[in-house]
Amino acid sequence: MDYRKNDQWIVGASLGYTRQDTELPGESSGLDTSGWTVSAYTTYYRQDSWYMDGVITWGRNDYELLRHIRYTLPTAGGGFTSVDQTARADASGDLLSTAYTFGRDFNRGAWGLGPYGRLLYTRVGFDTINETLEAGEPGSGLGLRIEDRDVSSLASVLGGKLTYTHSADWGVLIPHVQLEWEHEFKDDPQAVEARFINDPTGTAMVIRGDPLDTDYFRLGLGMSMVLTRGRSGFFYYEQLVGRNGMSQWNLALGLRMEF
């Protein structure tokens, strides 16, 4: 919900809810995530000129983790010991993100060209995770304690969009294509510290990830529409291009009604 203070300035707020279910192939392991967010945003613009956007978001996530442990080892007496356990854990964490955009629109007839720049900061926190297993069964002492940690990102975006405006009696259609180059400033490998809960020595295990890819592109295609009686909407498809070890696409749909 937002409020137009005048012809150049809009302020607003929004609530969000997310639900993600992740399953690992071949095993009964996975991660279920649910969470909510609250955001405040503002837009200031001059018609056919420059504009500035800002948004800040805070939220909370809940995580449900399943880790399947299955293996067989020979024993000293000549037999075998089999472990078939599922470690379970519930945890939470918060998130904070901000984004600031500055751009300029150039128009010639029905065509428009809009270069822009954006600065993004995101911090995702994870509380301590303590796994539980079925007591008294082989492997019951393999539960892990994963220490709390924060993962942060600071990125810049340089992009541009090309638009075409088509007017009709029932409204206006604006198809557009968009290209962004994103650079990540925090490229240090992420580290996770864990230890076995039942280890009397409390020996820590530190697992470090690979260095992050710092430069990649996003290519998008979309359309906006402005209809009569204060109705408007949009769709936007975006594909991540050129990022090592990751593929991603996003589809966004929106509908707006004025009252």
Side-chain angles (χ1 to χ4, degrees), residues 2 29 62 89 98-99 111 113 121 127 174 178 181 186 193 207 217 226 229 248 252-253:
D2 54 52
S29 301
D62 294 320
T98 61
W111 293 94
L113 178 64
Y121 172 79
D127 296 341
I174 310 175
Q178 191 164 312
W181 165 51
K186 292 182 174 291
E193 181 179 336
I207 302 174
F217 297 89
V226 181
R229 294 182 293 179
Q248 183 186 65
L253 303 171

Side-chain angles (χ1 to χ4, degrees), residues 126-131 143-151 189-197 201-209:
F126 299 91
D127 296 341
T128 302
I129 299 171
N130 291 295
E131 293 182 329
L144 290 175
R145 173 186 171 91
I146 303 174
E147 301 299 334
D148 63 304
R149 64 190 180 104
D150 291 337
V151 178
Q190 299 178 9
V192 178
E193 181 179 336
R195 53 180 49 82
F196 288 110
I197 296 176
T201 66
T203 302
M205 300 171 287
V206 179
I207 302 174
R208 299 188 180 277

